């Protein structure tokens, strides 16, 4: 599994990396602009991401805008909706309007910080990125 962790907070980035590293390669981005750039580069190199963990609130370009741009790029690349990268939106506050907007924009799922490792791994299994039982 190839993962892009998009998070402006160092502690959150490191926590996600520690959880996800055993399951595959992890790349980091500090804002939405870097995330979109990394997504484009990975597609050009024919090594796309399987998962993007995308923070809601970041400088330069926030998570929802990055999400919209990534989904737009996928449509331009001819990637079917269900075949796109799995995007897990991560936020410090679980405001219902934020969550609804993220899902409308194409988020696969969302989580509230602090990250619950067991829940994160269950999401990955639901996305088909981990084989059953490997999340233990």
């Amino acid at each position: 599994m190839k993962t892009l962790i998009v998070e402006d907070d160092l502690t959150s980035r490191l926590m996600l990396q520690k959880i996800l590293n055993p399951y595959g390669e992890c790349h980091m981005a500090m804002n939405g602009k870097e995330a979109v750039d990394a997504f484009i580069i990975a597609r050009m190199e024919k090594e796309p991401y399987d998962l993007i963990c995308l923070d809601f609130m970041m400088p330069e370009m926030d998570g929802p805008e990055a999400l919209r741009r990534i989904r737009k790029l996928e449509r331009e690349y001819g990637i079917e909706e269900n075949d796109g990268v799995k995007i897990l939106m991560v936020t410090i506050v679980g405001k219902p309007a934020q969550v609804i907007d993220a899902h409308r924009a194409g988020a696969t799922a969302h989580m509230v910080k602090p990250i619950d490792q067991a829940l994160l791994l269950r999401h990955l299994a639901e996305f088909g990125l981990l084989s059953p039982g490997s999340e233990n």
Side-chain angles (χ1 to χ4, degrees):
M1 176 175 69
K2 184 176 176 183
T3 301
L4 177 62
I5 298 168
V6 188
E7 173 66 65
D8 62 323
D9 176 67
L10 175 63
T11 303
S12 296
R13 270 196 319 270
L14 293 175
M15 177 181 283
L16 282 165
Q17 182 183 29
K18 182 178 179 183
I19 293 169
L20 295 169
N21 225 22
Y23 303 99
E25 186 177 354
C26 291
H27 295 178
M28 306 284 192
M30 292 178 46
N31 60 55
K33 183 182 180 323
E34 288 182 5
V36 173
D37 291 345
F39 173 82
I40 292 168
I41 291 167
R43 295 292 317 170
M44 287 173 37
E45 293 177 348
K46 298 192 182 342
E47 294 182 12
Y49 290 103
D50 300 299
L51 173 69
I52 298 176
C53 295
L54 187 58
D55 188 23
F56 266 86
M57 295 183 293
M58 295 177 289
E60 198 161 340
M61 181 189 296
D62 66 13
E65 180 61 23
L67 169 64
R68 283 188 287 277
R69 290 187 186 193
I70 289 168
R71 292 303 189 211
K72 182 177 186 280
L73 286 166
E74 286 181 331
R75 288 189 300 276
E76 290 172 5
Y77 296 151
I79 299 169
E80 297 292 326
E81 189 174 327
N82 292 333
D83 295 333
V85 63
K86 304 303 183 211
I87 299 181
L88 179 65
M89 296 296 295
V90 182
T91 184
I92 195 130
V93 283
K95 293 181 181 176
Q98 261 187 345
V99 172
I100 291 167
D101 287 346
H103 284 282
R104 283 185 183 145
T108 311
H110 75 280
M111 289 188 70
V112 176
K113 296 177 195 176
I115 297 298
D116 177 326
Q117 180 173 347
L119 179 58
L120 174 58
L121 296 178
R122 275 197 304 274
H123 277 306
L124 299 184
E126 290 167 6
F127 299 164
L129 298 176
L130 295 181
S131 56
S134 66
E135 67 270 14
N136 295 326

